[in-house]
Amino acid sequence: MTTIGIGLLGLGTVGSQVAEHLDLRSDRIAERTGTAVELRRVLVRSLDKPRAYLPGRSLLTTDADEVLDDPGIGVVIELMGGMEPARTYIERSIEAGKAVVTANKEVMAHHG
């Protein structure tokens, strides 16, 4: 079975829920799709901020390069919101050949 590495940009309200679903439902996702998903890195602004869901602390980083330049990450999920730095991170991900998932209407409306 192949594994897709996931990089998550943002761990706020929505990002925490996405991380929790990826962690707790990874077996179900693999069963339904035939592909395993693995949350590999999560970009946050602060390592010490309390969160609704905290994936392994070792996954957290404040350095976007650790997510965007990781060859083991094939999909980047952008849940930061706002125009910048979200737009820059989305473009860097695409240029690196990574698939991008975003709900960022502002970036999509101006640059999509």
Side-chain angles (χ1 to χ4, degrees):
M1 180 178 293
T2 60
T3 300
I4 297 175
I6 306 286
L8 186 59
L9 305 179
L11 196 60
T13 302
V14 176
S16 293
Q17 287 295 302
V18 170
E20 182 175 17
H21 284 278
L22 287 172
D23 280 348
L24 300 180
R25 293 183 172 87
S26 62
D27 291 342
R28 189 173 185 188
I29 293 167
E31 181 182 301
R32 286 183 168 186
T33 65
T35 302
V37 294
E38 180 182 288
L39 187 58
R40 296 210 172 145
R41 296 300 281 173
V42 181
L43 178 68
V44 295
R45 279 187 266 189
S46 170
L47 296 172
D48 300 319
K49 180 181 174 181
R51 304 187 186 282
Y53 178 78
L54 187 63
R57 187 160 171 84
S58 65
L59 298 180
L60 302 183
T61 182
T62 57
D63 182 358
D65 293 342
E66 290 186 25
V67 178
L68 305 176
D69 296 336
D70 185 336
I73 292 175
V75 176
V76 172
I77 302 173
E78 182 277 314
L79 297 169
M80 301 169 63
M83 186 66 77
E84 288 295 342
R87 179 193 61 85
T88 299
Y89 296 163
I90 289 168
E91 287 180 354
R92 280 186 57 196
S93 298
I94 292 168
E95 289 168 3
K98 300 175 188 307
V100 174
V101 177
T102 184
N104 192 323
K105 294 178 286 294
E106 184 177 13
V107 170
M108 291 295 99
H110 293 340
H111 301 285

